[in-house]
Amino acid sequence: MTPGLAFFYGGLVRRKNVLSVLMQCFVAMCVCYNSVVFCLDILCPSHRAIVLLADCNGLALNGVGMQPYAAYAPTIPHQLFMIFQAMFAVITPALIIGAFAERMKFSAFLLFTLLWATFVYAPVCHWVWGVGGWLKNMGVLDFAGGTVVHINAGAAALVAALDGW
């Protein structure tokens, strides 16, 4: 191993940046989980997102309880299903971080993560997993997040790497 490099998450970053990448992963987890709690729970899988946003039902987990949400998981409580969905939302930006490790300011990363989770992740999540999603209607099955997580993160990482961030 080269003296100035440290092995980290399957890639190489300089020793001085290991803590920065760890902090980005932790903050991505916090940002994405909070965005799921506050608004993405009604944007990602919901086919009624516009109606729910208009009357704030589901915003900040308003009306999300222990009763099952029949359209998605008829035997699992809605809060548990929301936490399961949050896991995918948290993992995806952590994969993207590898594309711009050591090359993006922390404030830019924070803004990127918040905007990306809202305007890119949520629609793709709805397309694949949501009732009425166009990819789901075409017969796409994505049980482990291959489309929503890996293809989405790979495309975002490619854009970030090509853009020169």
Side-chain angles (χ1 to χ4, degrees):
M1 180 193 272
T2 310
L5 299 176
F7 185 73
F8 183 73
Y9 273 149
L12 294 174
V13 295
R14 289 180 284 191
R15 289 183 194 270
K16 67 178 187 174
N17 293 318
V18 170
L19 185 60
S20 172
V21 172
L22 280 171
M23 189 63 170
Q24 286 177 345
C25 290
F26 179 74
V27 168
M29 178 184 68
C30 296
V31 166
C32 289
Y33 181 76
N34 284 320
S35 64
V36 166
V37 167
F38 286 105
C39 66
L40 293 185
D41 183 50
I42 59 175
L43 292 178
C44 292
S46 179
H47 62 287
R48 306 170 295 144
I50 303 302
V51 174
L52 289 172
L53 279 176
D55 67 2
C56 294
N57 186 13
L59 193 61
L61 298 182
N62 180 22
V64 175
M66 294 305 289
Q67 70 282 2
Y69 190 40
Y72 297 106
T75 60
I76 299 173
H78 192 181
Q79 285 183 353
L80 183 62
F81 183 72
M82 183 271 309
I83 292 171
F84 177 70
Q85 289 294 324
M87 175 193 65
F88 290 106
V90 165
I91 290 170
T92 310
L95 294 172
I96 300 170
I97 290 170
F100 53 76
E102 303 181 351
R103 296 185 309 223
M104 186 183 285
K105 289 175 59 175
F106 191 78
S107 58
F109 157 75
L110 191 60
L111 182 63
F112 168 79
T113 302
L114 185 60
L115 293 175
W116 178 85
T118 305
F119 296 111
V120 177
Y121 178 79
V124 173
C125 182
H126 173 70
W127 295 343
V128 175
W129 290 325
V131 173
W134 68 277
L135 287 174
K136 183 175 182 171
N137 289 343
M138 288 176 38
V140 172
L141 295 176
D142 183 12
F143 297 112
T147 303
V148 175
V149 175
H150 294 93
I151 292 175
N152 199 352
L158 180 63
V159 168
L162 291 177
D163 192 36
W165 283 355

